Amino acid sequence: MDDAPSPEGNNPSVFLADITGAPVIVKLNSGVVYKGELQSVDGYMNIALENAEEYVDGKLRRSYADAFVRGNNGRSSCSVSISII
């Protein structure tokens, strides 16, 4: 039996599928933070959240029923970090 990691262990889409529906924090490289319930993430790191809150400089700026954070479309990129709350 081989002890090498399975391909799923290196695939972030498996992890992201497992946390769909969970409350998360999405941090952009601009410093803006979104907190909400993860609905989906695609291969370009486009992120859909429900019941989202937007924080700028640590202060609540807006609340959204649904929010869409655009990821990398190949021409420009937005560095994001997703954390489970």
Side-chain angles (χ1 to χ4, degrees):
M1 182 195 259
D2 187 10
D3 288 333
S6 67
E8 299 85 47
N10 295 324
N11 187 346
S13 63
V14 173
F15 167 73
L16 294 169
D18 286 345
I19 65 168
T20 297
V24 296
I25 298 172
V26 178
K27 296 179 184 177
L28 307 184
N29 60 353
S30 66
V32 176
V33 173
Y34 293 90
K35 295 180 182 181
E37 184 180 306
L38 182 65
Q39 294 305 302
S40 66
V41 179
D42 67 13
Y44 296 104
M45 287 303 292
N46 293 312
I47 301 167
L49 300 172
E50 282 189 355
N51 303 317
E53 297 175 330
E54 178 183 57
Y55 292 84
V56 177
D57 296 325
K59 297 177 183 161
L60 179 62
R61 183 172 178 194
R62 292 191 180 106
S63 295
Y64 304 96
D66 297 304
F68 184 78
V69 179
R70 186 173 178 185
N72 182 357
N73 66 9
R75 290 179 286 162
S76 63
S77 64
C78 178
S79 177
V80 300
S81 170
I82 301 175
S83 303
I84 302 171
I85 296 177

